[in-house]
Amino acid sequence: MKAPIDFYFDFSSPYGYLASRKIEPLAAKHSRTVKWRPMLLGAAFKATGAAPLPSIPLKGDYAKRDFLRSARFHDVQFRLPDPFPISTVAACRAFYSLETEVDRIKLAKALFSAYFVDNLNIGEAENVLKVASGIGLRPDVNDQAVKDKTRAEVEAALAKGVFGSPYIVIDGEPFWGVDRFDQIERWLREPF
Amino acid sequence: MKAPIDFYFDFSSPYGYLASRKIEPLAAKHSRTVKWRPMLLGAAFKATGAAPLPSIPLKGDYAKRDFLRSARFHDVQFRLPDPFPISTVAACRAFYSLETEVDRIKLAKALFSAYFVDNLNIGEAENVLKVASGIGLRPDVNDQAVKDKTRAEVEAALAKGVFGSPYIVIDGEPFWGVDRFDQIERWLREPF
């Protein structure tokens, strides 16, 4: 039994969203499962000194164009939401408040679609709960134990070196970006 | 006759180097030529607030690993030079001091190999001249007109929105990174 693939992402990350639509078929093809690990890019940005893409001169304009083109390239439905980016603390807490992997992944997919397809602001806790309730889930975003767990997960991600989204780790080998899926695919066949 | 592909890069950029080994066969396959346009990442970083990759916490360690893995993935000979990164003002000036495209591209390839294969510090003007003389070229890195031309080329690149290396423009469409070559390939067949 091979180890699961660690899939770190931020719910506000367009490239994380694109990766979320591609990683499971890819993993399954290589008899792997995927451990979904939402984190908070804002915390990583404090460590690296990075800033949200749209706020960066030159790079911001390019990024907006590249989000759209990359979505077309990967054949994934996408619109740039407004507002963008957003804080995803509530989304993260809702995810980690759920008990089972199945429920967590179901919620993660629904939240990504709500934000990047339906333009629902999942930065608002009430919208997170609405999305969850629409698929029969009742996460808790206010419980202190959930807050502590979320913080611990984000800190653990930083401690592992996670600085961007998506950030994928396969048997200890890190890959940053949906544009590393070609390398991931080869690595899953055979490390090079 | 289709327009040439604009290929912006910094001589100190590993991903720019990898792109330099791939862009001409790709362009030729689609009946295009390549206009090589060295620029200075330091000037772009001033505009975007970016910093050289190795200096960034978390991202720097990842980048060093990714340079090597990406070179293996693309089957390009590569070693991380020491010192790295370097100022490439002399390399840029030498390039722009030459008259013909053929000579310029010949020099660019020789400089990239000197730095990323032979670990020669092309940040030193004397090494740039040595590499050039080894292939029968005599660039000038001190002439004021050459300095002015280089500055004008770098400023023109920034004015076009070039913020990274490699940065490739095809009929007005910008692509940043050697990891966009899959999208470039599709775009050259048909814009999407």
Side-chain angles (χ1 to χ4, degrees):
Chain A
M1 185 69 188
K2 287 174 180 165
I5 293 171
D6 284 314
F7 171 40
Y8 296 92
F9 60 92
D10 184 298
F11 279 113
S12 181
S13 157
Y15 300 124
Y17 161 66
L18 297 182
S20 79
R21 295 292 187 101
K22 297 176 62 85
I23 197 160
E24 292 208 311
L26 180 56
K29 203 171 135 190
H30 297 273
S31 311
R32 299 274 193 146
T33 56
V34 179
K35 178 85 179 166
W36 293 50
R37 296 184 180 279
M39 42 79 71
L40 299 170
L41 267 186
F45 285 176
K46 273 185 202 154
T48 59
L53 281 168
S55 68
I56 303 172
L58 304 182
K59 207 172 184 172
D61 287 340
Y62 173 83
K64 284 181 207 161
R65 187 172 191 147
D66 189 63
F67 296 154
L68 292 161
R69 190 180 60 210
S70 293
R72 295 194 301 272
F73 183 75
H74 292 294
D75 199 19
V76 173
Q77 202 182 348
F78 171 86
R79 60 168 288 177
L80 190 62
D82 178 23
F84 171 81
I86 50 170
S87 159
T88 54
V89 175
C92 252
R93 286 178 180 163
F95 177 96
Y96 286 115
S97 79
L98 298 173
E99 292 291 324
T100 70
E101 286 293 310
V102 170
D103 283 351
R104 288 178 169 189
I105 295 172
K106 200 170 140 191
L107 177 64
K109 290 178 177 174
L111 288 172
F112 265 140
S113 291
Y115 189 48
F116 289 110
V117 178
D118 303 326
N119 193 32
L120 183 73
N121 181 0
I122 61 164
E124 309 278 354
E126 61 177 319
N127 286 336
V128 170
L129 298 178
K130 202 182 294 174
V131 168
S133 123
I135 52 171
L137 295 174
R138 296 177 62 87
D140 185 333
V141 299
N142 290 312
D143 184 57
Q144 189 58 47
V146 167
K147 292 179 180 175
D148 292 345
K149 181 169 180 45
T150 303
R151 178 190 295 266
E153 291 284 349
V154 173
E155 280 171 6
L158 287 177
K160 293 244 179 205
V162 177
F163 61 84
S165 167
Y167 190 96
I168 288 139
V169 184
I170 302 171
D171 306 331
E173 184 75 13
F175 298 86
W176 171 43
V178 67
D179 43 27
R180 284 295 171 280
F181 269 58
D182 51 359
Q183 295 194 23
I184 288 174
E185 180 146 34
R186 191 185 295 179
W187 194 272
L188 285 168
R189 287 203 304 274
E190 185 163 16
F192 56 90
Chain B
M1 186 65 186
K2 287 173 180 165
I5 293 172
D6 284 314
F7 171 41
Y8 296 92
F9 60 92
D10 185 298
F11 279 112
S12 182
S13 159
Y15 300 124
Y17 162 65
L18 297 183
S20 79
R21 294 294 188 99
K22 295 176 65 82
I23 198 160
E24 292 207 311
L26 180 57
K29 205 172 134 191
H30 296 274
S31 312
R32 299 274 192 147
T33 55
V34 180
K35 179 85 180 168
W36 293 50
R37 298 184 178 279
M39 42 80 71
L40 300 170
L41 266 186
F45 285 176
K46 273 185 203 153
T48 60
L53 281 168
S55 69
I56 303 173
L58 304 182
K59 207 172 185 173
D61 287 340
Y62 173 82
K64 284 180 206 160
R65 187 170 191 149
D66 189 63
F67 296 155
L68 293 160
R69 190 181 60 212
S70 294
R72 297 194 300 275
F73 182 75
H74 292 294
D75 200 20
V76 172
Q77 200 181 350
F78 172 85
R79 61 168 289 178
L80 190 61
D82 180 21
F84 170 82
I86 51 169
S87 159
T88 54
V89 174
C92 253
R93 286 177 180 163
F95 178 95
Y96 286 115
S97 79
L98 297 173
E99 292 291 325
T100 70
E101 287 292 310
V102 170
D103 283 351
R104 286 176 170 192
I105 295 172
K106 197 170 145 192
L107 178 63
K109 290 178 177 175
L111 289 172
F112 266 139
S113 291
Y115 189 47
F116 289 110
V117 178
D118 303 327
N119 194 31
L120 183 73
N121 180 1
I122 60 165
E124 309 277 353
E126 62 178 318
N127 286 336
V128 169
L129 298 177
K130 202 182 294 174
V131 169
S133 120
I135 52 172
L137 296 174
R138 295 178 63 88
D140 186 332
V141 297
N142 291 313
D143 184 57
Q144 190 57 45
V146 167
K147 292 180 181 175
D148 293 344
K149 179 166 184 46
T150 302
R151 177 190 295 265
E153 292 283 349
V154 173
E155 280 171 7
L158 287 178
K160 294 244 177 206
V162 176
F163 60 85
S165 167
Y167 191 96
I168 288 139
V169 184
I170 303 171
D171 306 330
E173 184 74 12
F175 298 86
W176 171 43
V178 68
D179 43 27
R180 285 295 172 281
F181 269 58
D182 49 2
Q183 295 194 22
I184 288 174
E185 180 147 35
R186 192 186 294 178
W187 194 272
L188 284 168
R189 286 203 306 274
E190 186 164 15
F192 54 91

